[in-house]
Each structure stands twice: as structure tokens, then as C-alpha cells.
Amino acid sequence: MSPSYLDSLGTYLSTRRWFAGKGRDFEVTHVDALSWLSVDLRVRVEVAEVAYADGKRDWYQVPVLYLDQADPELAHALIGEVDHPELGESVAYDAVFSKGACDVILEHFHEAARDDELTFHVVSGADLPPHGSPGFVLTGEQSNTSVAYAEDGILKLFRRVAPGGNPDIEIHDALTRRGSENVAPLLGWISGSWHDVAGEVHEGHLGMMQAFLRTATDGWTVALSSVRDLLVEADLYPDEVGGDFAGEAQRLGEATAQVHADLAAEFDTETFTAAQQTALAGGMGLRLDAAIHVVPELAEHARGLRARYDALAALTTPLPVQRVHGDLHLGQTLRTVKGWKIIDFEGEPAKPLDERIALDTPFRDVAGMLRSFDYAAGATLREFGRGEQLAHRAHEWSARNREAFLDGYGQATQQQLTAEAAVVIRAYEADKAVYEAVYEARNRPAWLPIPLHAIARLAAEEPS
């Protein structure tokens, strides 16, 4: 590809919510074009190699549609003009926003298409969306792009790809075979191989198809509605408002515990040694050090945050670890008429694959959800303004639902939350809040006060 196309693609990537390189110096150094999904429509998958100033690199999947001339209806998906070696002068677009491209991808699943570079896998007995089901991109995506096919299936295209298996597919495959009621069944997936700038071949997962949950509403939306109901009626307590979320929070805790039990049954489990727990806490401290360079406001709270990490390092109680979700929050949950479903088992998108599939304590997920309740309250409070009474009510909402979630989780595991477990959760909460601060500073600076407010509170509390 010409340097101008690489520059145009780099500009396009920098505007996407799913691009993890924001705030870093980077350039697109290579694009590997895979097989044509359709020669007639001129649609194919391309994998762009991104090199950073610190020597690290990422790969991003971009299905590309080439047209002879610009299409105003696809202006939001424009990559740029290119003098294509095969097609001549063309205009390149992100193909997932094209109906024709979505149709082609679905047909490849039905055909279980396979060649040297792309393979469409179908789960035995899977009920794929019917031929011709219209596909449209869902809004609100972050690390990936999802295409809904009518009300029959959801195709999630991984944007940041990596050599090896994607944990979202691996876990959904295992839980689907187990008959888990807390996930949407896996229907199929896409694997591919691509070359890097040096010519080395890499193989990895590019996307997955799941059953569409027709009655689903994402947990973040349900929670925000509940907080708004409370703040509108600012003189009432959370349990007095019609949109009280505590019952849902408790059931979500139960669902989370069940998923953890299923993961422990399907995958390996271990126990961290004292040295590993010390290293775990040390990693949190290193992330804080790096975060202070991005968000200097963290420095004044560093001592209190480190106290939480030190309390984790000082624990002598063995810490069981297993496969976990790794990035659990309300936005990774769906409320359906059949109960809560948990989605997106990729882990934190910014982490390398080996870290996302590493064994960890289930308390990482618990802490992530506790932070999410606090975040829902903070995001809604941002809309209403931070008056003292409103802030007090928002905090009450968060506290009530955090307690309900922990109660549901504890009842499902038939275990009381011990003092040692509380130390672990507090450390993970602090670590997550630091991650949130960096994310907001790079992506939504106007939202930065939300995690900073929480960090100030976390740092001021006793670590144990």
C-alpha cells in the first residue's frame, strides 16, 4: 500500500473508540490484505500493523470496501482515497458499515468458508441467522464492532487482534458446551492469518457470532435509569424509589458467582504463592507510577492507594486463582426475561493476550462490578450537577447496590466475605480506579473527575 494510504488509515484509526493507541505516538507501518470476501463488491479484510514510539506494536483488523467514487452515506466510515495496485484509483471505507459487506460475511458463515487466510467456523447444531438477514452496526461499542443480524445473531468483529486464541471465543465455547444459562450461546467464529512487516506469519481470531438476546437491555442502561429516578426524587431513599436496583444487583451477584463456578469447572485453577501475591501488588504499584505521568492529579492520592496495595502484599492467606472475566462492569452485562447474562470475556482490551488469559482471583471481577456501581452514580451525578444533597443520594445508591451485589455473590458461593477477601477487593478497586483515570484522560477528559472523586475517597479510607 502507498504511504498516503497508510497515513489515511492511521488517521482513521485515531478517531475510533476501539483504537487503544490514543495519547501515544504511532504510525501504521504495514497493511496485510487477506482474502477477498467478495471480488464483485470489492470487500476484503485487512490487518494494519501499528508501531509505537516505545517499540511496541499492535495489529488492527479493518474490513475494507473499495468504491470507484465517494459515497456520502458512508462518510462516517471513510478511510481515504487510494491508488490501489489492483483496482486503480478508489475510495476506501470501513466495510462493516456497508449492508453488502455484512451480507457477504453472513453468507461465509453459512458456507463455512475456508481458505489459506480466512476460516469461518460454525458450532455443531448452531442456529445461524437466516440467509439474507439484514445486518447493522450497533452503537456504543468500545473495543470492538458488533453487527446485529435482525434478531437472530450478533457478530462481534475484534478490532485489536493478536496471535493466538481470543479468550472471548475460548470461554464462550466452553460455557456454551457446559450449557451455562448466564451467557449467550456461541454460534461460530472467524480465524485468520496475516503477515507482519517482516514477513512473519501470525494466526489469531478475528470475530465471533453469538445468539441474539431479543429481550436484553444492557446493565449500564438499567442502572443509569435507576440512579436518575433517585436523583429526580432527591428527598427519597434508594429503597423508596420505583426504580430501585438492589434486587437486580443481588441477582447479578448470583449470576457472577455462577459464571465463576462454571469457569473453575472448565479451566485450570491454582493458588498464588506469597511471592506471587507480592508481585501482584507490586504490579499495581507500577501501574500507579505510570498513571501519574498521564494523570498528575493522582500523585496526591498515591500514598493512600499504595496502602491498599501494601495490605494485599502483606496477606498470608492463600489466594485461589482461576480464569475470570477480567473486565467486568455493568456494560458487560445484559438483563433479559431469563435473568442476567454476562458478555465480552476478552479481559481489559489494552492488556497483552498472555495477561488477559492468565489465572486471576475472582475478586478482580467483583471489584470491577463494585467500581461500576460507583461509576453509574458518578456519571448520572455529572448530568445533574454535584450539589451536596444529590451527591449524598448518589453515594447512597452506589453503597446500597454494592452491598446487594456482594450479598448475592456470597449467597451463591455460600461463603461469607472475609476480612482477607475485603483486602483483596479493596486493592483491585484502587487498581481499577487508576485504570479508569488514565482511560478518561486519554478518551473523555470531561469524565476524568468521576474516577478522581472515587480515588480520593478510596485513598482516604483505611486499607484494611
Side-chain angles (χ1 to χ4, degrees), residues 1-2 5 33-46 63-69 80-93 95:
M1 288 294 180
S2 66
Y5 179 71
L34 308 190
S35 311
W36 288 101
L37 293 172
S38 171
V39 175
D40 293 337
L41 292 178
R42 302 197 301 184
V43 175
R44 71 181 179 193
V45 172
E46 297 183 1
V64 181
L65 166 69
Y66 291 96
L67 298 179
D68 290 330
Q69 58 187 11
E81 297 181 359
V82 56
D83 187 4
H84 196 282
E86 301 174 54
L87 306 175
E89 293 186 1
S90 304
V91 186
Y93 293 93

Side-chain angles (χ1 to χ4, degrees), residues 42 75 110 192 237 268 320 395 440 449:
R42 302 197 301 184
H110 278 285
Y237 293 99
D268 292 338
H395 179 71
E440 299 299 11

Side-chain angles (χ1 to χ4, degrees), residues 167-186:
D168 208 8
I169 294 174
E170 181 185 19
I171 288 178
H172 271 99
D173 184 35
L175 296 186
T176 297
R177 286 187 280 102
R178 188 173 179 81
S180 171
E181 296 182 353
N182 301 114
V183 298
L186 181 69

Side-chain angles (χ1 to χ4, degrees), residues 81 252 267 302 452:
E81 297 181 359
L252 181 55
F267 297 96
L452 287 180

Side-chain angles (χ1 to χ4, degrees), residues 69-396:
Q69 58 187 11
D71 183 347
E73 293 186 2
L74 292 176
H76 61 291
L78 175 65
I79 296 173
E81 297 181 359
V82 56
D83 187 4
H84 196 282
E86 301 174 54
L87 306 175
E89 293 186 1
S90 304
V91 186
Y93 293 93
D94 193 332
V96 296
F97 296 96
S98 161
K99 179 184 180 302
C102 292
D103 292 344
V104 166
I105 293 172
L106 178 58
E107 290 310 306
H108 276 62
F109 270 109
H110 278 285
E111 296 166 5
R114 175 188 301 267
D115 60 29
D116 292 339
E117 296 176 332
L118 285 172
T119 301
F120 288 75
H121 308 261
V122 179
V123 174
S124 177
D127 189 12
L128 291 171
H131 294 277
S133 298
F136 59 93
V137 174
L138 298 180
T139 59
E141 288 297 305
Q142 295 187 10
S143 58
N144 301 292
T145 300
S146 291
V147 177
Y149 286 97
E151 292 188 346
D152 299 290
I154 293 285
L155 170 67
K156 178 162 66 173
L157 289 172
F158 305 132
R159 291 302 197 158
R160 183 171 179 245
V161 297
N166 188 290
D168 208 8
I169 294 174
E170 181 185 19
I171 288 178
H172 271 99
D173 184 35
L175 296 186
T176 297
R177 286 187 280 102
R178 188 173 179 81
S180 171
E181 296 182 353
N182 301 114
V183 298
L186 181 69
L187 304 179
W189 67 93
I190 309 170
S191 59
S193 64
W194 64 92
H195 295 80
D196 63 21
V197 67
E200 183 178 352
V201 178
H202 303 276
E203 297 182 354
H205 289 144
L206 303 180
M208 59 188 287
M209 180 84 79
Q210 291 178 271
F212 188 92
L213 301 175
R214 293 178 176 83
T215 64
T217 304
D218 75 271
W220 176 253
T221 299
V222 179
L224 290 183
S225 178
S226 174
V227 187
R228 290 188 187 108
D229 286 348
L230 175 63
L231 297 189
V232 167
E233 300 288 349
D235 58 338
L236 298 180
Y237 293 99
D239 60 339
E240 297 175 325
V241 178
D244 183 24
F245 192 74
E248 296 292 356
Q250 182 173 20
R251 287 185 284 273
L252 181 55
E254 294 170 355
T256 302
Q258 184 57 60
V259 167
H260 283 158
D262 288 340
L263 291 174
E266 290 291 327
F267 297 96
D268 292 338
T269 61
E270 294 179 4
T271 301
F272 272 174
T273 64
Q276 287 174 308
Q277 288 186 198
T278 301
L280 175 66
M284 294 177 178
L286 292 175
R287 285 190 287 277
L288 175 58
D289 292 338
I292 290 173
H293 291 288
V294 181
V295 188
E297 297 94 324
L298 292 174
E300 64 180 294
H301 306 297
R303 183 176 180 180
L305 296 174
R306 292 188 199 283
R308 288 183 170 232
Y309 307 153
D310 292 342
L312 171 61
L315 284 181
T316 57
T317 307
L319 186 62
V321 293
Q322 60 170 80
R323 291 294 293 273
V324 298
H325 185 283
D327 188 29
L328 188 62
H329 53 78
L330 286 163
Q332 309 283 37
T333 67
L334 296 173
R335 183 67 174 92
T336 75
V337 295
K338 294 184 178 181
W340 284 99
K341 310 290 183 182
I342 295 177
I343 60 175
D344 293 341
F345 286 83
E346 290 185 81
E348 287 185 4
K351 288 186 175 180
L353 178 62
D354 59 344
E355 293 184 25
R356 289 188 280 135
I357 65 175
L359 303 188
D360 206 334
T361 166
F363 292 135
R364 170 185 285 280
D365 290 345
V366 171
M369 188 56 69
L370 296 182
R371 283 291 313 126
S372 194
F373 289 125
D374 194 52
Y375 223 80
T380 310
L381 190 60
R382 179 176 176 270
E383 298 177 13
F384 280 73
R386 281 193 172 274
E388 182 176 348
Q389 183 183 18
L390 290 176
H392 181 69
R393 287 288 180 257
H395 179 71
E396 284 183 335

Side-chain angles (χ1 to χ4, degrees), residues 426-446:
R426 287 174 181 139
Y428 273 98
E429 273 197 272
D431 188 47
K432 183 67 172 180
V434 169
Y435 167 86
E436 292 164 354
V438 172
Y439 178 86
E440 299 299 11
R442 287 175 169 167
N443 294 276
R444 297 183 299 189

